[in-house]
Amino acid sequence: MFVIVVYDTLAERNPAVLRTCRQYLHWVQRSVFQGELSNAQHRKFVSAIKAQIDPSYDSILIYRTQGPHNIQTDLIGQALGNTDPVL
């Protein structure tokens, strides 16, 4: 599955969440990552993220789709990170 992850966490937790996202996905823009994950990788990723955040404060959005070809992306402004969805 193709996933896009957007996170907003307390500053002290950002480095741990960032490291976990980089282990599984490709950096796109500040707190945005994307990439292909198997079902097993997705479960491990979600479990790792849940262990690092405070769900009463932090927010993690995970968008799932069958593939990057199903997503239309329009960039306005500077391209940051790897914006190529076919990784």
Side-chain angles (χ1 to χ4, degrees):
M1 77 186 73
F2 186 78
V3 301
I4 299 170
V5 175
V6 180
Y7 68 87
D8 186 7
T9 59
L10 188 67
E12 289 79 21
R13 287 187 282 278
N14 280 347
V17 173
L18 175 66
R19 277 191 302 276
T20 300
C21 288
R22 283 186 174 165
Q23 288 176 357
Y24 291 89
L25 301 165
H26 301 281
W27 178 68
V28 177
Q29 182 176 342
R30 291 189 175 81
S31 59
V32 180
F33 286 80
Q34 68 184 19
E36 293 280 345
L37 294 179
S38 68
N39 287 333
Q41 288 171 322
H42 181 262
R43 284 190 301 273
K44 287 181 182 179
F45 172 73
V46 170
S47 177
I49 290 293
K50 284 181 177 180
Q52 295 170 344
I53 68 164
D54 175 356
S56 68
Y57 181 85
D58 301 324
S59 176
I60 311 288
L61 291 172
I62 302 173
Y63 299 94
R64 294 180 288 173
T65 184
Q66 295 303 311
H69 54 279
N70 294 335
I71 301 171
Q72 179 178 339
T73 303
D74 299 316
L75 172 65
I76 299 171
Q78 295 294 312
L80 302 174
N82 184 354
T83 57
D84 181 8
V86 183
L87 303 171

